[in-house]
Amino acid sequence: MIESFHIGSRELWRALVEHAPEPTTELLHAGGLLWDLVHAGTTAVAMGHDDATRTAQAVRANRRALLFELLEQGHPTEEARTLAAALGLDPDGMFRAACTPSEAWSDVQLQGLQHALDDGPAPALCSRRGTTVVTVFQTVASSVVVDAIRHVRPDMSVGLGLARRGLEGATTSIGDARRALALVRGRAQTADFDECWLPAILFEHREELAPMLAKGAEIAARHPHLAEAVSAFAQSGFSASAAARRLHLHPNSLAYRLERWQQLTGWDLRTVDGLVRSMVAPALS
C-alpha cells in the first residue's frame, strides 16, 4: 500500500512537470505539499499496520496461554476446541508435545522460538508452564521442532511425548514429554518417551526403588562403559557380536564388560529381572 502511494505520487509529479512549460514557484510548492502528504499518509499507514500486528500478536499469545491452561485441566471443552481451531490446530488430530526446562529460557528467546515455529511447515505452539516450556505440534516431524528449539538454545535438553489423538491426547503427550525430560534434564540430549517409557515412568518413584537399584546406579556412575555395554547388548537383540560392532569393540571385550557388570551388580542379564534392573538403574541415577 505504501509503495502504491509512492508510485502514484511519482507519476503525478512527472505529469505535472511534463505539462508545465517551465518549473514555477507554485509547481515546486505543490510538489513539496504532495511529498509531505505522501510522507504523512505512509507514516500513518505504517503505524496503523504496526499497531494491528501487535494487537494480532497479543490476541494470539493470549489464545495460546488460555489453550495451554485448558489442556492442563485434562478435559477438552468446547472453548478449548474453538481456541485450537483458531490457532490453526485440528482439535481431533494427532498431537505431540516437547518439553524443555523453563528456567533456561528468557522471554526474548521464547518469543524467538515461537516465531521460528510460526515460520515452520505446520502449526506449533509453545508456552512457559511452571518448570517447563511446553511445545505442542501436529503433522510435523519431531526433529523439526527439536531443531527449532536447538537453533535458539543449542544446549537444551528435550523430552518428547507420544503422538496421541485429540486435545485430551495432547494433555497426555505433555505428561509423556515431562517424564522423558526428567531423564535428561541438565544435559543437551533428547529423550523420546516411546523409547524410554519404562525408566521415564519409574523415575518418579526412584526414591522408593533406590534400595533395589542403588547398586547398579552406583556401578553405572563409576563405570559408564559397563552400562554402555549393557545398553548396546539390549539394543542389539541380545547379540554380543552385534553389540560389539555397535560400540566398535572386539566381541571378547564386550563379553568381558557384560561379565564384569554381572559380577559387580549381581544381576544376570539372561533373566528378566536382571535385565530390567540393568536397563533401569543407570537411567534413574
Side-chain angles (χ1 to χ4, degrees):
M1 184 175 179
I2 292 175
E3 183 65 18
S4 68
F5 270 110
H6 288 170
I7 294 173
S9 301
R10 182 189 63 205
E11 295 304 314
L12 177 59
W13 177 251
R14 285 181 178 176
L16 290 172
V17 172
E18 288 176 358
H19 289 82
E22 60 181 44
T24 64
T25 301
E26 290 79 7
L27 182 58
L28 294 175
H29 181 65
L33 291 175
L34 176 63
W35 286 111
D36 286 344
L37 176 61
V38 170
H39 175 71
T42 54
T43 299
V45 170
M47 292 177 63
H49 178 268
D50 185 60
D51 289 343
T53 300
R54 289 178 182 275
T55 300
Q57 290 175 344
V59 169
R60 187 172 177 83
N62 289 336
R63 286 175 174 172
R64 282 199 306 268
L66 180 55
L67 177 60
F68 276 104
E69 288 180 11
L70 294 174
L71 288 178
E72 288 180 346
Q73 296 176 9
H75 301 289
T77 63
E78 193 58 38
E79 182 181 13
R81 294 178 60 85
T82 300
L83 284 169
L87 291 166
L89 299 171
D90 176 8
D92 299 312
M94 300 297 291
F95 286 84
R96 286 196 77 180
C99 286
T100 63
S102 65
E103 67 272 11
W105 292 88
S106 69
D107 290 341
V108 172
Q109 289 172 330
L110 196 56
Q111 290 174 6
L113 174 60
Q114 185 60 64
H115 290 158
L117 295 172
D118 289 340
D119 293 336
L125 311 175
C126 68
S127 180
R128 192 189 303 274
R129 312 305 303 171
T131 61
T132 56
V133 166
V134 180
T135 301
V136 171
F137 55 98
Q138 292 183 307
T139 68
V140 64
S142 60
S143 59
V144 174
V145 174
V146 173
D147 287 346
I149 291 172
R150 293 260 167 76
H151 179 74
V152 181
R153 288 298 306 266
D155 59 339
M156 192 56 57
S157 52
V158 182
L160 292 171
L162 290 177
R164 300 182 184 272
R165 184 171 297 282
L167 295 178
E168 194 165 19
T171 299
T172 306
S173 187
I174 292 172
D176 297 341
R178 283 178 169 148
R179 292 187 180 92
L181 174 63
L183 297 179
V184 294
R185 199 178 188 101
R187 304 194 295 272
Q189 298 178 11
T190 299
D192 191 329
F193 188 80
D194 187 39
E195 300 172 357
C196 64
W197 59 271
L198 181 57
I201 291 173
L202 295 179
F203 189 83
E204 298 175 352
H205 306 281
R206 60 191 180 281
E207 293 183 3
E208 304 164 52
L209 298 172
M212 300 168 53
L213 304 175
K215 181 183 292 186
E218 179 186 354
I219 299 302
R222 287 168 45 200
H223 306 285
H225 63 292
L226 300 184
E228 183 184 43
V230 172
S231 178
F233 180 64
Q235 294 175 18
S236 302
F238 308 107
S239 167
S241 58
R245 287 194 298 271
R246 178 188 287 263
L247 296 179
H248 307 290
L249 292 173
H250 190 280
N252 291 342
S253 297
L254 183 91
Y256 170 78
R257 293 185 182 186
L258 296 178
E259 182 180 355
R260 184 61 176 159
W261 172 266
Q262 182 171 335
Q263 291 173 350
L264 293 174
T265 62
W267 298 339
D268 188 347
L269 293 174
R270 294 169 297 180
T271 66
V272 173
D273 180 69
L275 179 63
V276 171
R277 288 176 187 247
S278 298
M279 292 300 297
V280 170
L284 300 188
S285 60

